Amino acid sequence: MQARRPYPDFGVITWNDQSASSSYHSMQFKLERRFSKGLSLLTSFTWSKSIDQDSTNGEGMYDPYNGRLNRGVSLFDVPRVFTTGLVWELPRLRTAKGGTRLLLGGWTVGSLITVQDGFPFTPGFAGDPSN
């Protein structure tokens, strides 16, 4: 809720009421495994929900005097996130000598994959529905 009052010396002063509340609940799983020959796997999954009263900064409030009507899923809520990472330490070149051994030894190769749900949105139509 915003209150605007004109003051002759300062112009218009805007006061924003920051009395909204939020909650976040999640369940998280993690699996980490180190295999032989330098291969490592890390997998995680998060299932969550973020609920708040006003993640829109006051835009689209139903009733500014009853905050319970404004409570809903947050604009930044991402319910499911799955992430997998692989790291492989390349074998050292024991037969190489000198600079080749220094240049090609001790490298690691890794990959990271993240799959997640999108942000919630309300589809709309900006044109004239009567065509």
Side-chain angles (χ1 to χ4, degrees):
M1 177 167 49
Q2 294 184 353
R4 297 185 134 218
R5 297 185 183 140
Y7 292 96
D9 295 334
F10 301 109
V12 175
I13 296 176
T14 303
W15 174 72
N16 291 327
D17 182 14
Q18 302 293 326
S19 61
S21 67
S22 63
S23 66
Y24 175 81
H25 300 283
S26 71
M27 184 173 12
Q28 301 167 4
F29 301 99
K30 177 177 136 180
L31 173 68
E32 185 173 1
R33 175 85 167 126
R34 292 185 182 193
F35 298 99
S36 63
K37 299 184 180 178
L39 185 65
S40 298
L41 170 75
L42 176 65
T43 300
S44 67
F45 178 74
T46 303
W47 183 33
S48 66
K49 180 164 247 171
S50 176
I51 299 172
D52 64 11
Q53 287 180 326
D54 188 20
S55 61
T56 62
N57 287 335
E59 300 170 8
M61 290 184 99
Y62 295 114
D63 187 357
Y65 301 106
N66 187 356
R68 290 179 293 163
L69 293 177
N70 301 323
R71 192 164 175 82
V73 176
S74 303
L75 288 179
F76 49 84
D77 180 47
V78 179
R80 292 178 293 268
V81 178
F82 176 77
T83 304
T84 297
L86 272 168
V87 176
W88 181 38
E89 295 179 16
L90 296 175
R92 297 191 182 270
L93 299 174
R94 298 188 190 279
T95 58
K97 295 187 175 149
T100 308
R101 188 172 186 175
L102 280 174
L103 185 64
L104 298 178
W107 286 89
T108 59
V109 176
S111 69
L112 181 66
I113 298 171
T114 300
V115 180
Q116 68 182 28
D117 287 338
F119 295 113
F121 73 100
T122 303
F125 182 68
D128 184 10
S130 64
N131 208 7

